[in-house]
Amino acid sequence: AEEKRMSGDTVPMETDATVKTEDVKPPPPSNAPLLLTKPGQKFQTPTPGDADRVFYESLHKQKPDSPMAQNYVIEYGILPMAEASELYKIYLERKRNPQAPVRAAPKPKKVKTQVIDGIGGDTGFSGGAGMEGVGVGAL
């Protein structure tokens, strides 16, 4: 049964259904422990748009051996469970022995450069008198 208001809106009337207090669950207490389910996770996983998460995720994709990125993705539970388990082993090894690198970083290749005489041109600098451009143009 509905009742018409002057403005034309319909408002439901009271029904016979009553809400039992057993059906309503109280919200969890604010001091409830967080579910940290991944190995090495210490903090709640940030939302995908979080600036720190975006930075460290992209760093981890570009440089998987970066200790900074590894620490973040492990401690914040960013990676899938299988990848997190593998990386957690490396993380623990680095925590046990912080001086020794766990993975050797690839050495950058040296690029040989050649200087060819006669190519280059004028750079615009000259070994002038030192007074250039200091108001001596009328001389």
Side-chain angles (χ1 to χ4, degrees):
E2 294 181 354
E3 177 182 293
K4 291 266 185 184
R5 288 190 164 187
M6 292 240 184
S7 65
D9 294 336
T10 56
V11 180
M13 299 275 294
E14 284 188 39
T15 60
D16 294 333
T18 57
V19 178
K20 296 179 183 177
T21 57
E22 305 150 359
D23 295 340
V24 179
K25 294 180 182 176
S30 61
N31 61 354
L34 299 172
L35 285 175
L36 306 176
T37 58
K38 297 187 179 166
Q41 186 174 356
K42 295 180 181 179
F43 308 104
Q44 184 176 8
T45 304
T47 60
D50 182 68
D52 289 341
R53 178 178 175 163
V54 171
F55 172 78
Y56 285 105
E57 269 186 310
S58 63
L59 177 62
H60 181 68
K61 286 178 185 172
Q62 292 172 9
K63 295 188 175 198
D65 293 339
S66 166
M68 220 169 61
Q70 289 175 350
N71 288 352
Y72 186 88
V73 297
I74 288 295
E75 292 175 359
Y76 284 87
I78 304 292
L79 300 175
M81 185 63 81
E83 193 177 343
S85 297
E86 290 296 317
L87 188 57
Y88 185 60
K89 294 172 189 173
I90 295 169
Y91 174 85
L92 287 177
E93 184 63 33
R94 190 173 50 252
K95 291 290 181 185
R96 282 188 207 113
N97 189 3
Q99 299 300 322
V102 176
R103 293 184 188 173
K107 294 182 180 179
K109 294 181 181 178
K110 292 184 179 180
V111 178
K112 292 185 178 182
T113 58
Q114 290 181 340
V115 177
I116 302 174
D117 291 334
I119 299 178
D122 185 19
T123 60
F125 297 107
S126 63
M131 295 296 293
E132 285 183 16
V134 189
V136 292
L139 292 178

